[in-house]
Amino acid sequence: MTLAEFIARLPKGDLWVFGYGSLMWSPCFGYAQKALGRAHGYHRALCILSTRYRGTRAKPGLVMGLCQGGSCWGMAYRIDAQRARRALARLWEREMNRRVYAPRLIPVRLPGGRMVRALAFIADPEHPAYVGELDLHGRARLVAQGIGARGPCVDYISKTLEHMHEVGVRDPHLERILHAALALRQNGGHDSAAMACAPAPSAARQPAARAPRALLRRAARRPRRAAARR
């Protein structure tokens, strides 16, 4: 889908955008409101090979996508209608250059129970860069080796987790991948050492994250405008 085609299908009014990875801590657009939100019907996963921002063709990294099933905590941004086209152009340049994502309006619940339809970038399981069946340590190896135009893949995941922790959200599965990747880097890429250092993965593939109600109320009370940062 082209940007023009997507804009033509959008309802009139303000635009909501749902960030679940780097958009949580480094949005590329200005916004009028920011709030913790929960997307329904999708979960966060490390499932996209990165050959530019967090890796190279020779040594790809691994970045996040939304996959069907479950739910996902993230940041919801409201963009004024008059600024939506410019924000979308920036998002398209950042997220859609390889067409590994499908742009969708998905239901997101905001603090207080309000539901909005927000733009999110859904992983395309048919794309060659999509990583399907791969265990925790296979993903950790990709994270450990990936270094691209925006820096190491481990930094990308660390910053995402730090932001999640600040708002009271945990993702034990993602934390285990990061711990294993850091252990691999410290031990020169030897899997046995990394497995010894990393916590054992839980039985659940991706445990559901929960955010305290107090933080949801706080997010609702303190919307703000922020400048775009890359």
Side-chain angles (χ1 to χ4, degrees):
M1 181 185 299
T2 67
L3 174 57
E5 290 170 339
F6 183 78
I7 290 175
R9 299 181 185 185
L10 280 176
K12 297 188 180 301
D14 293 349
L15 172 69
W16 284 92
V17 175
F18 181 73
Y20 55 88
S22 62
L23 286 179
M24 295 177 66
W25 45 269
S26 180
C28 58
F29 49 82
Y31 53 87
Q33 181 182 352
K34 173 182 176 181
L36 186 64
R38 187 169 189 170
H40 293 268
Y42 298 91
H43 66 273
R44 179 190 295 106
L46 273 174
C47 61
I48 304 295
L49 291 174
S50 176
T51 58
R52 179 183 176 189
Y53 292 147
R54 300 292 175 175
T56 64
R57 290 185 180 275
K59 292 185 176 182
L62 198 62
V63 295
M64 297 174 203
L66 278 188
C67 299
Q68 289 190 343
S71 63
C72 174
W73 289 102
M75 300 308 301
Y77 302 92
R78 180 175 63 82
I79 303 170
D80 291 336
Q82 62 269 27
R83 298 186 177 186
R85 185 179 292 269
R86 183 177 180 182
L88 282 168
R90 290 183 174 179
L91 280 166
W92 235 252
E93 181 180 1
R94 173 167 164 167
E95 306 292 341
M96 293 292 290
N97 60 335
R98 292 192 300 159
R99 300 296 190 269
V100 68
Y101 296 112
R104 296 283 185 271
L105 293 178
I106 66 172
V108 175
R109 186 179 298 276
L110 302 179
R114 180 187 175 191
M115 294 291 294
V116 298
R117 292 183 65 78
L119 167 62
F121 293 94
I122 312 301
D124 179 2
E126 302 300 321
H127 195 280
Y130 179 82
V131 175
E133 297 300 323
L134 192 63
D135 65 13
L136 182 148
H137 292 288
R139 295 178 197 274
R141 285 192 292 273
L142 290 169
V143 170
Q145 74 176 9
I147 302 175
R150 291 185 178 165
C153 195
V154 292
D155 289 354
Y156 160 79
I157 297 173
S158 294
K159 289 180 180 179
T160 301
L161 286 170
E162 286 171 7
H163 189 91
M164 291 167 65
H165 294 167
E166 287 176 2
V167 296
V169 175
R170 299 293 300 275
D171 188 329
H173 183 73
L174 190 58
E175 291 170 7
R176 287 177 170 87
I177 293 175
L178 176 61
H179 292 161
L182 290 172
L184 276 170
R185 287 170 65 88
Q186 292 169 1
N187 290 279
H190 298 295
D191 288 4
S192 58
M195 291 182 185
C197 295
S202 74
R205 184 173 62 87
Q206 186 163 355
R210 296 182 180 181
R213 292 181 181 178
L215 286 164
L216 291 173
R217 291 195 295 269
R218 189 187 313 161
R221 287 198 303 267
R222 299 196 303 175
R224 64 183 178 86
R225 183 182 299 275
R229 291 185 293 177
R230 295 298 293 265

